[in-house]
Amino acid sequence: DSGVTQTPKHLITATGQRVTLRCSPRSGDLSVYWYQQSLDQGLQFLIQYYNGEERAKGNILERFSAQQFPDLHSELNLSSLELGDSALYFCASSERTGFFTDTQYFGPGTRLTVL
Amino acid sequence: SQQGEEDPQALSIQEGENATMNCSYKTSINNLQWYRQNSGRGLVHLILIRSNEREKHSGRLRVTLDTSKKSSSLLITASRAADTASYFCATDAGFNKFYFGSGTKLNVKP
């Protein structure tokens, strides 16, 4: 158990809908990262937040947005969902802001299915 | 993949044997990490090697990095059935260029 929690575990929705995925980092970790893992695109970095501020941006679509709240939990919002958005979405956290030099601890993921 | 490619895509060995996986990448990097992922679960960080390092060990893991060939290898010695998982390399090329490879599926038969 990494100490990172994600809810929900599974999410089934329809095209065009909007969903929110939630992540709670390990106690004491200030950075939160979001990743998407799909069969055709593999594992992709989406975005990182550090202590409430956006720190780094990867291949995140404009239809997707994220935020980190004062209690350090983070939410990933996915809107105007398409079939291709079906994937596993992982959240990870790390202690500092050193991004790739920090060890990241991954949550169990949220499996999103868009029908 | 935009940056990393693992080779082989799949590897099946007997318990006790060594497993070697390779990762090739395209651009200069700051460092490279290896991760393990058990089926459908989150990734677990294994080891980080910086661009100025050539070899690193952690328990039964040995990682090498050859920046001139833009490649890295992960060796798992004396493999166990519990090592069955997918293994990914991930590269930090700076400027928020952070890529995972396509992964190697390792199956260790008891």
Side-chain angles (χ1 to χ4, degrees), chain A residues 31-52:
Chain A
S31 277
V32 169
Y33 313 78
W34 286 97
Y35 297 88
Q36 178 195 59
Q37 186 175 34
S38 62
L39 283 175
D40 55 344
Q41 295 287 330
L43 193 61
Q44 293 196 90
F45 164 66
L46 297 178
I47 197 164
Q48 179 207 2
Y49 277 81
Y50 172 75
N51 205 21

Side-chain angles (χ1 to χ4, degrees), chain A residues 35 37 43-45 55-59 88 90 99-109 111, chain B residues 2 31-33 35 37 40-45 48 50 88 90-92 95-96 98-101:
Chain A
Y35 297 88
Q37 186 175 34
L43 193 61
Q44 293 196 90
F45 164 66
R55 174 78 167 80
K57 218 168 190 177
N59 296 328
L88 261 174
F90 289 106
F99 188 28
F100 205 42
T101 57
D102 286 350
T103 296
Q104 297 180 40
Y105 297 88
F106 280 74
R111 183 171 293 281
Chain B
Q2 289 179 296
N31 49 64
L32 182 146
Q33 296 190 24
Y35 286 83
Q37 183 181 31
R41 303 186 67 176
L43 280 74
V44 175
H45 176 263
L48 178 150
R50 301 183 193 280
F88 296 87
T91 53
D92 171 17
F95 305 106
N96 299 333
F98 174 37
Y99 301 114
F100 279 89

Side-chain angles (χ1 to χ4, degrees), chain B residues 17-33:
Chain B
E17 293 180 340
N18 295 342
T20 300
M21 290 157 257
N22 303 296
C23 167
S24 60
Y25 56 91
K26 296 176 184 173
T27 64
S28 297
I29 61 171
N30 295 326
N31 49 64
L32 182 146
Q33 296 190 24

